[in-house]
Amino acid sequence: MILYLHGFRSSPQSFKSRLLAARLAELGRTGEWRCPTLSVSPLDAIAAAEAIVGGARDVTVVGSSLGGYYATWLAEKHGWRAVLLNPATAPQRDLKQYLGEQPLWHGGGSITVEPHHLDELNALRVPAISRPQRYYLLAATGDEVLDYREMLAHYPGARTRVIAGSDHGISEFADYIDDVLAFCDEKAM
């Protein structure tokens, strides 16, 4: 199973999510795909991710930005593989500036970020990954939102692809989809 976790203010309609879903459809693998809409509450987002997976044992979680932070916590808790796309490493720090009502990127609407959400993020903090071989990190040097050097420091020993330039959304993500899926298809680690 491939579980995709979108980023802050994003949705299952994100660019990367749609590309991955389309590629899996081309390969006749839509039954493996899960991509929930995540709550603004980090603890609720984690609960939704765990519920959608159910009892599946062979899971790769693909997390983008804040979804990468969640993916790391889930990988450590459940022993899942994780693909991290410009993952947040300290969202409890970075999202302080977004307290209050925030517009969503897709479909209109908004969310309200409250101080207790930062506490929830802190509760999900993984100080250090335990098994680097379970992780595949894609980090863009041109990420305008997060510092790729923090990503590299947080995932030592992980399979890593540093993308020269690019952006937070990894605009050329289509070029990396087959690599991501190959990692997802590796035997449990």
Side-chain angles (χ1 to χ4, degrees):
M1 176 181 299
I2 298 172
L3 172 66
Y4 186 92
L5 303 179
H6 62 73
F8 179 64
R9 296 171 40 199
S10 192
S11 77
Q13 294 305 309
S14 75
F15 167 72
K16 292 183 294 292
S17 172
R18 287 183 291 119
L19 282 176
L20 267 171
R23 182 67 177 130
L24 285 167
E26 288 172 11
L27 297 170
R29 297 173 57 182
T30 56
E32 298 174 39
W33 178 249
R34 305 287 185 280
C35 183
T37 298
L38 300 177
S39 169
V40 66
S41 161
L43 295 180
D44 289 348
I46 291 292
E50 290 176 321
I52 202 168
V53 168
R57 303 187 92 201
D58 189 17
V59 176
T60 302
V61 58
V62 179
S64 175
S65 193
L66 182 58
Y69 186 79
Y70 297 155
T72 302
W73 191 85
L74 289 164
E76 289 296 316
K77 179 181 178 186
H78 297 287
W80 298 342
R81 290 177 304 280
V83 177
L84 309 165
L85 310 172
N86 282 336
T89 58
Q92 62 277 39
R93 173 197 70 202
D94 299 336
L95 293 180
K96 283 182 184 175
Q97 64 183 321
Y98 293 99
L99 289 173
E101 188 170 355
Q102 301 297 323
L104 296 173
W105 295 117
H106 314 109
S110 64
I111 56 171
T112 301
V113 181
E114 299 175 2
H116 71 91
H117 294 136
L118 303 180
D119 295 335
E120 290 179 18
L121 286 168
N122 201 47
L124 298 171
R125 184 174 166 272
V126 173
I129 58 172
S130 62
R131 295 180 52 209
Q133 67 271 23
R134 283 195 308 230
Y135 294 89
Y136 182 24
L137 169 66
L138 280 79
T141 65
D143 188 326
E144 69 281 9
V145 176
L146 300 171
D147 188 336
Y148 80 98
R149 292 167 294 206
E150 288 185 6
M151 298 171 205
L152 296 176
H154 195 71
Y155 298 97
R159 184 178 307 179
T160 300
R161 178 177 294 255
V162 176
I163 303 167
S166 192
D167 51 39
H168 186 64
I170 309 177
S171 296
E172 62 287 316
F173 183 64
D175 296 342
Y176 303 105
I177 287 179
D178 288 336
D179 286 345
V180 166
L181 291 178
F183 182 81
C184 293
D185 291 342
E186 289 181 9
K187 296 291 180 205
M189 298 173 194

